[in-house]
Amino acid sequence: MPPFFSNKRLVILLASVIILVALIGYSMQDRKNQSFPEQFLQDTVGFFQSVVSTPTHMITSLFGSIEDIKEVYVQNKKLKQHLEDYAEIVSEVKRLRERNKELQQVLNKSQSPSLADYHVRQARVIARSPDHWNQKVIINKGSTAGIEQNMAVIAANGMIGKISSVGPFTSTVQLISSKQRTNFIPAMIQTDEGKKDLYGLVKGYNQEKNRLRLTLLPVDVSLEKGQTVVTSGLGGMFPQGLVIGHVTSVKIDSEGLSKIAFVKPSADLYDFYNVMVIERMAKSVSSNPAKKDDQ
Amino acid sequence: MSRLLLPVLTFFLFVFEGTVMQLFVPEMFGEHYIVVPRFALVIILFIACFQKRSTALWYGMIFGLLMDVVYTDYLGVYLFVFGFTAYVIASIAAVSRKNVWTVVCLIVLGLTMQAFQIFGLYTIIGIAQMSAETFIQRMLWPTLVLNVIVSLLLYYPLQKHFRTMAAQKAIAET
């Protein structure tokens, strides 16, 4: 019988625990970029992941579309009703756009991109972290396609996360439901006309209720259920106006100094395949000094 | 050819966990239960049961490192946990008899050990914010059920493979 833990092995075990702690400490630093071996591994595995995931998605979407056909009739009826409103809205948007342009020209502001301007890149999801703890998704575009760290990522219905690491051909998205310390989004609550918008920070996620926490709101404001929460564009990473979710409930935080709103994410954080990576056009203060000089 | 089968199979299952399974997992089990496919670890535990302890340790460490780099932010967690689990299970397997029930029991033991270690380490780091009770009820049981079913399906083909490999080795030595 081989000894379970001899003295030598105990020493090796202790040494490996120390190495484990050192490695965790190393990776907990706020690293700008992954090291080369990591990028290489991630890209190599990413190749196989896209080879496996593409046909699977084709098959599942085939079944999905068969199911969709059943619902089409009902949807069609509803949509026809909406169509009448649509024409009206389109003309109004057009009118407002022109007016906006005129006003901006008057103010000489058209030169620099505003906070809300962004550039979109399409990408596909190729894999998702199988363990539940790491809320991460891998997409099939990397730095060769112009993707950079900290860009926002949205699905059809709203924001789902941000780019946390980039390899040449794949990159990793940290979902907004991730519990990492560094995971927060500057956000604001859109209010009715005439009132001031409220600014806060989306930070933390309640798994059981599927709610994000919007913190740092002043105590004396009144919030309503159903108000829309969007990115505020103030953190220097994301553009303004990406939809995050809707307020469902409000409470005062444990110190009694600010309010916390619970926000239901408008995007489904489990079921998405095509995503858009959003590059903000407005200059940001931090991160990329070299790029700023180019502009 | 047969030497390549195990690494390729483990790698394929490793990719399978993150791609194909992620499409089906939430739909199959609903929102309440969290099921984690650990098929690569199941193969590593099979290796721990049927092959040398050092082989299992290497497999555990290599696939743990892959897991760390590809799917997580923290290097070293899976590297340590998979390696340690494979080592302990291989040490126990060395002194036990090997039939389908003992092997499945060892796999259950290994999966449970691994789940608790990951839970513990991630709690220390701060990304696992779940009470131990919820973790056991919502995550551990469903995960064990899925992975035990898979290991039962894999037992006979893999056992056959390990036997032929042992036989080939014996022939080569004589």
Side-chain angles (χ1 to χ4, degrees):
Chain A
M1 173 185 162
F4 202 69
F5 279 126
S6 62
N7 262 348
K8 194 179 134 210
R9 300 206 191 282
L10 205 62
V11 171
I12 293 174
L13 180 68
L14 286 178
S16 53
V17 168
I18 292 167
I19 294 170
L20 166 73
V21 173
L23 271 174
I24 291 174
Y26 166 69
S27 38
M28 263 177 116
Q29 309 167 332
D30 203 9
R31 289 186 295 163
K32 279 267 151 58
N33 268 314
Q34 285 182 305
S35 59
F36 174 73
E38 283 175 87
Q39 287 187 355
F40 176 75
L41 268 183
Q42 198 191 328
D43 269 357
T44 320
V45 177
F47 170 74
F48 289 103
Q49 282 167 336
S50 57
V51 166
V52 175
S53 78
T54 316
T56 337
H57 268 288
M58 275 155 73
I59 294 165
T60 45
S61 65
L62 182 72
F63 283 109
S65 38
I66 290 170
E67 268 175 35
D68 283 347
I69 290 171
K70 292 179 202 157
E71 295 168 19
V72 163
Y73 177 71
V74 186
Q75 276 182 353
N76 198 12
K77 253 187 178 174
K78 257 190 203 167
L79 287 174
K80 265 183 186 161
Q81 286 174 349
H82 285 303
L83 211 58
E84 286 163 20
D85 305 335
Y86 179 72
E88 204 176 305
I89 292 169
V90 164
S91 71
E92 197 180 337
V93 166
K94 208 177 161 192
R95 200 167 48 79
L96 286 173
R97 267 211 190 122
E98 272 165 20
R99 180 129 183 82
N100 194 4
K101 221 179 183 179
E102 275 174 29
L103 289 172
Q104 274 188 345
Q105 270 170 1
V106 171
L107 286 169
N108 263 336
K109 266 196 168 174
S110 55
Q111 301 301 322
S112 64
S114 81
L115 270 182
D117 286 345
Y118 57 77
H119 179 72
V120 172
R121 290 185 179 83
Q122 303 280 343
R124 275 189 296 116
V125 173
I126 54 174
R128 189 190 175 104
S129 173
D131 74 345
H132 152 83
W133 309 116
N134 294 282
Q135 297 281 344
K136 296 184 99 179
V137 159
I138 298 163
I139 59 173
N140 69 342
K141 292 265 171 74
S143 55
T144 47
I147 287 173
E148 283 164 29
Q149 208 182 15
N150 285 335
M151 285 181 180
V153 181
I154 60 173
N157 294 327
M159 185 157 174
I160 53 169
K162 69 171 183 191
I163 303 280
S164 65
S165 67
V166 189
F169 304 109
T170 57
S171 39
T172 313
V173 179
Q174 187 180 49
L175 297 183
I176 47 178
S177 53
S178 167
K179 290 194 182 87
Q180 281 237 306
R181 278 179 311 148
T182 51
N183 192 29
F184 52 82
I185 309 164
M188 64 182 185
I189 298 181
Q190 287 183 328
T191 46
D192 301 334
E193 276 177 62
K195 285 186 200 162
K196 268 199 272 180
D197 286 338
L198 300 164
Y199 293 90
L201 213 54
V202 171
K203 202 178 177 191
Y205 177 75
N206 186 330
Q207 175 79 43
E208 279 158 48
K209 292 176 190 151
N210 180 28
R211 296 287 182 273
L212 295 159
R213 287 153 44 99
L214 176 61
T215 55
L216 294 180
L217 295 167
V219 186
D220 53 350
V221 296
S222 61
L223 293 170
E224 284 159 37
K225 216 170 148 182
Q227 277 177 321
T228 314
V229 179
V230 298
T231 53
S232 67
L234 295 181
M237 291 180 195
F238 313 130
Q240 197 173 43
L242 304 176
V243 177
I244 297 170
H246 299 279
V247 175
T248 54
S249 61
V250 183
K251 74 167 194 192
I252 292 176
D253 80 345
S254 54
E255 280 118 31
L257 297 172
S258 64
K259 266 187 180 171
I260 297 173
F262 289 92
V263 178
K264 183 174 190 275
S266 54
D268 184 345
L269 295 178
Y270 277 97
D271 189 17
F272 52 85
Y273 180 50
N274 290 304
V275 295
M276 282 162 274
V277 183
I278 304 288
E279 182 185 6
R280 157 182 154 122
M281 298 311 276
K283 286 179 190 174
S284 53
V285 188
S286 60
S287 68
N288 258 323
K291 206 191 159 202
K292 224 167 69 181
D293 290 342
D294 294 346
Q295 294 172 343
Chain B
M1 189 59 214
S2 61
R3 280 171 63 88
L4 270 178
L5 181 81
L6 271 182
V8 170
L9 179 69
T10 322
F11 184 75
F12 174 74
L13 287 176
F14 172 77
V15 170
F16 191 80
E17 283 172 11
T19 53
V20 183
M21 281 314 286
Q22 294 312 303
L23 282 173
F24 298 115
V25 161
E27 284 172 29
M28 277 197 305
F29 306 98
E31 296 265 304
H32 185 71
Y33 293 109
I34 302 157
V35 184
V36 184
R38 292 278 187 214
F39 306 148
L41 182 66
V42 167
I43 302 284
I44 293 167
L45 292 174
F46 269 115
I47 293 169
C49 290
F50 286 106
Q51 291 198 327
K52 275 193 300 187
R53 191 158 68 174
S54 57
T55 322
L57 182 64
W58 278 112
Y59 267 88
M61 281 166 66
I62 289 168
F63 282 95
L65 183 66
L66 266 184
M67 191 88 191
D68 274 330
V69 172
V70 176
Y71 291 121
T72 78
D73 286 321
Y74 301 104
L75 296 176
V77 176
Y78 277 94
L79 171 78
F80 177 83
V81 170
F82 277 18
F84 182 75
T85 311
Y87 184 87
V88 172
I89 295 299
S91 303
I92 301 172
V95 291
S96 78
R97 45 167 88 218
K98 291 178 186 82
N99 58 43
V100 62
W101 301 116
T102 50
V103 169
V104 167
C105 279
L106 283 175
I107 286 175
V108 170
L109 181 67
L111 287 165
T112 319
M113 268 174 63
Q114 171 271 141
F116 271 106
Q117 285 173 71
I118 295 284
F119 176 64
L121 280 171
Y122 275 165
T123 309
I124 295 169
I125 297 173
I127 55 172
Q129 289 163 3
M130 196 186 255
S131 68
E133 217 170 281
T134 348
F135 161 69
I136 292 168
Q137 283 171 0
R138 289 182 55 188
M139 201 163 159
L140 187 61
W141 286 117
T143 303
L144 282 181
V145 169
L146 174 74
N147 288 299
V148 163
I149 292 169
V150 169
S151 52
L152 281 173
L153 288 176
L154 283 171
Y155 180 81
Y156 289 104
L158 274 178
Q159 189 201 31
K160 210 177 152 193
H161 173 72
F162 285 125
R163 276 196 187 145
T164 45
M165 278 202 24
Q168 274 173 2
K169 206 177 167 190
I171 290 166
E173 274 168 7
T174 48

